[in-house]
Amino acid sequence: MASLPRRGLVPPLLWGLTLFLSLPGPVWLQPSPLPQSSPPTELHPCHTCRELVDSFNKGLERTIRDNFGGGNTAWEEEKLSKYKDSETRLVEVLESVCSKSDFECHRLLELSEELVESWWFHKQQEAPDLFQWLCSDSLKLCCPSGTFGPSCHPCPGGAEKPCGGYGQCEGEGTRGGSGHCDCQAGYGGEACGQCGLGYFEAERNASHLVCSACFGPCARCSGPEESNCLQCKKGWALHHLKCVDIDECGTERASCGADQFCVNTEGSYECRDCAKACLGCMGAGPGRCKKCSPGYQQVGSKCLDVDECETQVCPGENEQCENTEGSYRCICAEGYKQMEGVCVKEQIPESAGFFSEMTEDELVVLQQMFFGVVICALATLAAKGDLVFTAIFIGAVAAMTGYWLSERSDRVLEGFIKGR
């Protein structure tokens, strides 16, 4: 039989691109390192083969649906009998069986293409299940359900009900895996046929097991009640079929630091820091100290802060003492500031007047401008009344005064405008 035509350039180009990118390249072509993360779980080749077969079967359904389905039934039946097992249909299915980005599918298809062709033309009648014939019998990538490993051994609990139906058999259906049962919560044992730690058998028969939770601190029990305990979890002690909390702080089981104290909790304990006033303590607060820290003194049953400022501890000039928790510090008195280790008096700048930053020339110009404004105001007031002659006289005086001032102020005004 002639070999099938190629399915286009896409698969070879994809494999060529993958090979090219895998080769070492110049520094500027190397991608930036990605943040470290857990590597993705690699699928067993059996899963790839199963997906390939599923896609192949969908392609068979699609090619029948797209090419036939309405019209001349007799003609369709005649054509369908020829198209059903034709090379044309096989090529159409294989062209779309793998997505462009699924490299594993393309690789597996390249390896198994001749087997698929052989099944298509010669084995369909005797082996209608392509998955069983290709993935299990021919490529030996998969095992029947309930089995695992190179020789397809039965999972614990048997192939019909692996792990008793209460867990997952590692590698089931593949030629890999350990066959170890990953049991559901509450179940344990090699084949998940027992109740796990903290659970008891609520119901059991030849094919069924129900495990229910024990009372909180019970590790093993005969029932759900507090008095049904047979074994206790860590941090608890069995007493008359009940689990009682162990006070680790009252025994040598607790291990806390020198500046910590122990606090008992249910099934365990905590170590907490002593108060700042304590050097070693038996509990919380300054009243449970074994010994007082430096800067503290015992007053009654408590370690209290010593006020060092009651004595002369700041010898520097213009210094004063400020008490702190367990200590003190020397600061400059009010009105003084620290400069090179010495307290010096702060210089308070004098407040500046409104005209303090103006030059003499600017003041002269300002005075002349003010004088002119006053003259104009008087002339305006006079013009509003009946004293017409008075207004004319005042206007004349203003004009003469302005002329006289302009003679003397040209130089001053010019210097003011130019900023000299």
Side-chain angles (χ1 to χ4, degrees):
M1 181 197 71
S3 62
L4 291 179
R6 296 292 91 191
R7 296 185 301 278
L9 293 175
V10 173
L13 287 176
L14 289 173
W15 285 112
L17 179 60
T18 305
L19 178 61
F20 172 75
L21 293 177
S22 66
L23 296 175
V27 174
W28 58 85
L29 291 179
Q30 297 299 327
S32 301
L34 297 175
Q36 292 294 329
S37 59
S38 57
T41 304
E42 185 176 352
L43 293 178
H44 191 275
C46 175
H47 297 289
T48 304
C49 193
R50 182 183 295 278
E51 292 174 356
L52 187 149
V53 171
D54 290 342
S55 180
F56 185 91
N57 290 331
K58 291 178 181 177
L60 292 179
E61 296 176 4
R62 184 183 65 256
T63 51
I64 288 293
R65 183 177 62 251
D66 292 347
N67 288 280
F68 302 94
N72 190 326
T73 307
W75 179 87
E76 285 186 2
E77 289 179 355
E78 179 183 356
K79 295 296 181 182
L80 182 58
S81 62
K82 297 179 181 179
Y83 176 76
K84 180 180 178 182
D85 298 325
S86 68
E87 183 176 332
T88 301
R89 186 185 181 194
L90 176 61
V91 172
E92 290 179 6
V93 172
L94 291 179
E95 282 180 343
S96 59
V97 74
C98 294
S99 64
K100 293 181 179 180
S101 60
D102 193 343
F103 298 110
E104 292 299 321
C105 179
H106 282 288
R107 184 174 64 177
L108 182 60
L109 184 58
E110 291 289 339
L111 295 174
S112 59
E113 187 172 16
E114 292 184 1
L115 287 173
V116 173
E117 294 174 9
S118 176
W119 176 84
W120 180 258
F121 292 110
H122 307 293
K123 302 291 184 180
Q124 282 195 67
Q125 300 302 322
E126 60 183 88
D129 188 345
L130 176 59
F131 173 77
Q132 176 67 33
W133 185 86
L134 178 66
C135 302
S136 296
D137 300 339
S138 300
L139 295 178
K140 298 190 182 304
L141 297 176
C142 302
C143 286
S145 178
T147 63
F148 74 98
S151 302
C152 296
H153 289 297
C155 290
E160 294 184 0
K161 197 175 182 181
C163 301
Y166 303 109
Q168 181 64 43
C169 174
E170 184 185 353
E172 180 187 359
T174 74
R175 298 287 175 138
S178 64
H180 173 75
C181 285
D182 184 13
C183 301
Q184 300 173 7
Y187 295 85
E190 182 182 0
C192 305
Q194 303 173 7
C195 291
L197 194 67
Y199 290 80
F200 69 97
E201 291 185 4
E203 183 181 343
R204 177 190 281 274
N205 56 35
S207 60
H208 193 60
L209 171 65
V210 177
C211 297
S212 299
C214 297
F215 183 77
C218 301
R220 290 196 307 108
C221 63
S222 58
E225 304 297 330
E226 181 183 7
S227 58
N228 295 144
C229 295
L230 301 175
Q231 181 182 345
C232 298
K233 296 178 181 178
K234 183 180 180 181
W236 302 82
L238 187 64
H239 182 70
H240 298 303
L241 299 180
K242 292 183 179 181
C243 290
V244 181
D245 176 51
I246 297 174
D247 184 1
E248 292 86 355
C249 299
T251 66
E252 296 181 355
R253 299 189 180 189
S255 177
C256 294
D259 292 323
Q260 293 179 319
F261 64 96
C262 178
V263 176
N264 187 55
T265 61
E266 283 195 353
S268 187
Y269 67 95
E270 295 178 357
C271 293
R272 300 180 183 175
D273 293 336
C274 297
K276 186 178 178 181
C278 302
L279 280 179
C281 63
M282 298 173 288
R288 304 298 305 278
C289 299
K290 295 180 180 179
K291 188 178 179 181
C292 296
S293 298
Y296 295 85
Q297 61 183 353
Q298 188 165 356
V299 179
S301 60
K302 295 184 177 181
C303 289
L304 302 180
D305 176 52
V306 175
D307 188 357
E308 293 85 355
C309 296
E310 292 181 352
T311 59
Q312 188 67 27
V313 291
C314 296
E317 188 176 359
N318 301 317
E319 281 186 337
Q320 64 183 27
C321 177
E322 181 179 69
N323 189 51
T324 61
E325 186 71 19
S327 186
Y328 69 95
R329 61 181 178 183
C330 296
I331 60 174
C332 293
E334 186 176 358
Y336 292 84
K337 63 180 181 179
Q338 188 85 12
M339 288 187 65
E340 298 180 357
V342 181
C343 292
V344 297
K345 190 172 183 62
E346 291 182 329
Q347 299 295 327
I348 303 176
E350 297 181 359
S351 59
F354 183 74
F355 300 104
S356 61
E357 296 183 359
M358 297 185 66
T359 64
E360 292 184 2
D361 290 344
E362 292 171 347
L363 287 174
V364 171
V365 173
L366 185 62
Q367 291 170 0
Q368 292 177 359
M369 291 173 64
F370 178 74
F371 179 71
V373 171
V374 172
I375 295 299
C376 291
L378 291 174
T380 302
L381 290 174
K384 289 182 180 179
D386 297 329
L387 301 177
V388 178
F389 292 103
T390 304
I392 295 173
F393 173 75
I394 294 176
V397 172
M400 291 175 62
T401 305
Y403 175 77
W404 178 77
L405 288 174
S406 65
E407 288 288 327
R408 295 175 177 269
S409 62
D410 281 346
R411 181 180 57 82
V412 176
L413 185 60
E414 182 180 359
F416 173 70
I417 294 174
K418 294 181 178 181
R420 296 178 179 175

